[in-house]
Amino acid sequence: MIDPQRHGPWAVIAGASEGTGKAFAKALARAGIGSILIARREKPLSDLAAEIADETGIECICAAIDLYAPDTADHIIKTAGDREIGLFIVNAGGDPEGKNFLDLPVENWIDQVNRGVLAPLQCCQHFGTQMTARGKGGIILVGSGACWGGAANMAAYSGIKSFMLNFAEGLWAELQPKGVDVLYAALGTTDTPELRRFMAAKNLPLPDDLADPEAVAVRLFDEIGNGPVLIWGQADDEAGRLPMSAAGRRTRTLAIGQATKRIFGK
């Protein structure tokens, strides 16, 4: 459960202008936590900040940052400044392409790696160091069911999500004993403006079983202390069509950590 004493007084949300990012910011404000709202477009951020201030009286800070740029992390860290960041949320990471890997210039995929891997790693290093020094905090990496395996039209996307899943599990094993929560959210298809734009551009109908962004925010915040993985639509001990449940992955992560102590030490 989100706790202002543990996960406040400030959160950083990368990908905050709409959809789940907007839902995260509003839920945090209701809990008394202000957010540093980060996305490429400034107006949706400022509109959201004003809406949150009107509804809750909580201050939010807006930063229009290109999340695809190689120096994204530098800008995020500079914006946070000396504020105490108790929660870092990586929420940017949809696939805007939906194309085969060879059909686009490699620069398009490098941009996705910058946004989906390199910037989050740099920010997790920075904010995670501060959180472990305080003995509290949380990191949420919003991912996708694409993490479970590759498929045509999303070779790079699924690879990025799979990397972040494994990174989150390892980071959880390292930081959880130091008081820092880490959670990777393997979401299903969620009803966001980005998804609606993508489906409209492809002239495709919306799926019937879309998850609600507000429900996603509530579930993730309820489960933040139950890392390292949340599988959307399934109970913690339910594997469904997957080889392993979230609880099973937790047990596996801890078991591998115990086994590798002989090699890496504590």
Side-chain angles (χ1 to χ4, degrees), residues 100-262:
N100 287 335
F101 180 73
L102 298 182
D103 289 345
L104 292 173
V106 72
E107 287 77 15
N108 290 57
W109 308 120
I110 291 173
D111 285 346
Q112 285 202 29
V113 171
N114 284 334
R115 180 191 63 173
V117 175
L118 298 182
L121 258 65
Q122 291 171 280
C123 289
C124 285
Q125 172 84 23
H126 177 79
F127 296 122
T129 298
Q130 295 179 339
M131 292 173 187
T132 55
R134 294 190 294 265
K136 60 181 182 177
I139 295 170
I140 295 178
L141 306 176
V142 179
S144 161
C147 67
W148 307 122
N153 296 308
M154 57 178 193
Y157 179 72
S158 61
I160 289 167
K161 297 306 178 185
S162 179
F163 175 88
M164 292 305 289
L165 166 67
N166 287 274
F167 170 69
E169 290 179 328
L171 192 64
W172 171 83
E174 294 174 2
L175 300 191
Q176 186 265 343
K178 300 177 181 180
V180 179
D181 301 315
V182 179
L183 182 67
Y184 180 91
L187 298 185
T189 311
T190 305
D191 190 1
T192 64
E194 182 178 6
L195 173 71
R196 287 178 174 268
R197 288 190 293 267
F198 180 84
M199 299 299 284
K202 298 286 186 181
N203 205 22
L204 295 171
L206 287 171
D208 294 328
D209 55 347
L210 294 176
D212 176 70
E214 286 73 24
V216 169
V218 169
R219 176 84 191 280
L220 266 60
F221 288 164
D222 282 347
E223 298 290 339
I224 187 172
N226 199 30
V229 180
L230 179 148
I231 303 173
W232 183 258
Q234 295 179 196
D236 187 63
D237 60 352
E238 180 186 2
R241 292 178 293 177
L242 299 174
M244 196 177 298
S245 67
R249 295 192 70 93
R250 184 182 308 114
T251 300
R252 169 191 168 278
T253 299
L254 292 172
I256 291 175
Q258 288 295 322
T260 55
K261 279 185 178 180
R262 293 174 297 173

Side-chain angles (χ1 to χ4, degrees), residues 24-82:
F24 290 140
K26 297 186 78 170
L28 287 169
R30 291 193 294 269
I33 298 174
S35 295
I36 299 175
L37 308 172
I38 295 169
R40 183 172 50 185
R41 296 174 296 149
E42 184 172 1
K43 188 175 188 309
L45 295 178
S46 60
D47 289 347
L48 175 58
E51 184 178 347
I52 288 173
D54 288 342
E55 292 177 354
T56 67
I58 295 294
E59 176 191 10
C60 290
I61 293 167
C62 304
I65 297 173
D66 182 359
L67 298 174
Y68 288 96
D71 58 354
T72 291
D74 293 336
H75 290 298
I76 292 175
I77 292 167
K78 182 178 179 181
T79 300
D82 60 0

